[in-house]
Amino acid sequence: VTVFERAPAVGGIWRYDQPEDSNRVLYKGLVTNLPKEVMRYESLPFDSSLPSFVTPDDMVAYLATYAAHFGLEEMVRFNRTVTAIEIEPEHDVAEAQAQGKAEAEAE
């Protein structure tokens, strides 16, 4: 499995550094509309010292911790924008085309 992420690191829409042409939804003072106890993955709880309604920075930290804990970062291609997807249902396969490349990544 390969995951394409437009942002430069884990965090998706919870990151403040989203590109100008994206649908950014963050603003100062924002907290989640659901408590962390509902938003967490069953396999990894949030830091118990955090309040129930966490900030975007808390979400990014949680997602980064989750990705590192389960070794998911090696599956992600950061700084990529998906431009097309082809689905082959008879083979249960999907192929994506993406633009962009991380600076440290080899050809």
Side-chain angles (χ1 to χ4, degrees):
V1 172
T2 300
V3 177
F4 295 100
E5 170 58 55
R6 190 173 185 184
V10 171
I13 64 167
W14 295 105
R15 298 181 61 84
Y16 282 107
D17 62 355
Q18 289 294 306
E20 289 294 323
D21 63 343
S22 69
N23 188 14
R24 291 189 286 178
V25 296
L26 299 181
Y27 54 87
K28 288 189 182 215
L30 176 73
V31 294
T32 57
N33 62 345
L34 294 171
K36 68 181 184 186
E37 294 80 8
V38 173
M39 295 184 65
R40 75 179 190 94
Y41 292 110
E42 188 174 328
S43 54
L44 186 72
F46 274 86
D47 180 337
S48 62
S49 69
L50 292 173
S52 279
F53 295 88
V54 297
T55 67
D57 289 338
D58 295 330
M59 282 300 304
V60 169
Y62 175 75
L63 293 170
T65 299
Y66 187 93
H69 181 79
F70 291 101
L72 301 177
E73 288 178 320
E74 65 192 38
M75 298 167 52
V76 182
R77 302 296 177 258
F78 296 104
N79 298 308
R80 303 294 175 90
T81 300
V82 174
T83 58
I85 298 176
E86 277 188 46
I87 299 174
E88 296 180 26
E90 64 277 357
H91 297 108
D92 215 17
V93 172
E95 185 174 312
Q97 295 177 10
Q99 291 180 333
K101 183 175 151 182
E103 291 177 15
E105 190 173 289
E107 286 287 326

